[in-house]
Amino acid sequence: MKTLIAAPDPDEPKHLTELVLTESRTMREQTAGRVEVLDKVKALALLPDGVHADIAAVADYYEVDYGAIESVIRRNRDELTENGMRVLRGEEFRSFVTVNLTDANPRSRSLTVFPRRAILNVGQLLAESLIARQVRTYLLDTETGASTFEIPTTFAGALALAAQQAAELEETRTEVAELAATNAKLSPRARVADKYEANPGVNPTVFHKTHFTAVPERDFFEHLYRKDYLIDQRNSRWDERNGEWKDGPEHRHPTAKGKRYFYLAPKLDRRGVRRQQTLVIPGDAEHDLVAALERDGLPSRNRPALPGSQVTQLPRRTLGGAA
C-alpha cells in the first residue's frame, strides 16, 4: 500500500519535511530507484568505468568530509549493500584500481564503491548536507507528483505514456544488470569476508582451546597440517639478513580441503600493514570441523578420549622444513 505524504505546512522549514526520508526506510525504498534526481540536483562525477563512485567522490558530491560518508556506512551498511555498495578486495580490487584509480594509495588493499542507487541512498540518509537535503526534497516532490495518475484521453497521449514507461523499465533493467555484473566479478574471498563481517569467527588457536583442550596445541596444529586442512610452510624460507629460517607467506592458510572450514580475513599487523589471517567459518562449518577432527581421532570437549587411551604424539619438524 502506498504511503501517503502529508501536505507540508507553509510555515514549516522545507528541510524538516525532507527529513522523513532519513527516518523512514519504507520511504527510502519507495524512492530508491529515482537515481535521475542526482544529476538534476548537481553534476555527479563517476569513476572512469561510468558506473561507480568511491567514498571520496560521494563526499565531494554531497559537499561533506570523508568521515561523514564513513559514518553513514557504519550505521547503514546492510541497507547500502542492498542498494549496490560493495567492498572490492584481492584481485578484483587490483584490477579495478589499475583501470579506474591510477593515483590510488599503494598501501590500500580494498576499495568501497557505489553505483548510482547507493549514492542516492547515501543522500537519503545523510542529515548534515545541503545537497542531500535538496536530493531528498526533490525525491519527495517527485513522489508526491507521481501519486496522481492521469489516464491518457488521446491515442497520442497513450503512445507517449507507453514510451515513457518503456524507457523507465529499460533503465531499471540496465541498472540491475550492472549490479549483477559487479557482484559476479567480486572474488570469492571478498564475498566471504563481507558475509562474515558481523560474526567473523575465531582463529584456529581459539578454536583449539574451545573444542580440543585435551590435545596439546603443537600436536593439534601438526594434525591440521598432516591431514591437509592448513598449508604447512614452517621454516620454509631462509632469511639472509637475520640468518634464520622463517615461515612462508601462506603458512596456516586453508588448503583446498580446508576451505570447507576456514577462510582468509584481512587484519592489520603491529606495524599497520594489512595481512591475511585464517579464521574458522562460523556456524555450521565450525560444527562440521569439530566432527571431522573427531572422526580423525582427536578427543574433543564433547567426545573425550576413551579411558586408558593416549593422544598420539606426532613427530616434530626441524628447521628448514625437514621432517
Side-chain angles (χ1 to χ4, degrees), residues 189 230-233 236 247-254 264 278:
R189 183 180 299 176
L230 299 180
I231 295 173
D232 183 5
Q233 289 187 346
S236 60
D247 297 338
E250 295 186 349
H251 179 57
R252 284 196 183 180
H253 286 194
L264 291 176
T278 297

Side-chain angles (χ1 to χ4, degrees), residues 20 50 63 216:
V20 67
E63 298 179 3

Side-chain angles (χ1 to χ4, degrees), residues 125-182:
L125 296 161
L126 189 60
E128 301 303 322
S129 165
L130 178 60
I131 300 300
R133 290 176 179 176
Q134 293 174 356
V135 167
R136 292 193 295 270
T137 298
Y138 205 112
L139 285 173
L140 289 178
D141 288 345
T142 304
E143 182 71 8
T144 304
S147 63
T148 303
F149 179 78
E150 296 182 3
I151 299 176
T153 57
T154 65
F155 182 69
L159 287 178
L161 178 61
Q164 177 186 345
Q165 292 176 336
E168 292 175 352
L169 178 60
E170 182 61 28
E171 183 177 353
T172 301
R173 286 175 175 170
T174 300
E175 182 180 357
V176 170
E178 290 170 351
L179 292 178
T182 298

Side-chain angles (χ1 to χ4, degrees), residues 113-131:
V113 294
F114 305 75
R116 286 176 177 270
R117 190 180 181 97
I119 297 170
L120 180 65
N121 195 192
V122 171
Q124 293 172 318
L125 296 161
L126 189 60
E128 301 303 322
S129 165
L130 178 60
I131 300 300

Side-chain angles (χ1 to χ4, degrees), residues 47-62:
L47 294 172
D49 70 347
V51 177
H52 299 96
D54 59 4
I55 293 179
V58 175
D60 183 66
Y61 177 83
Y62 287 111

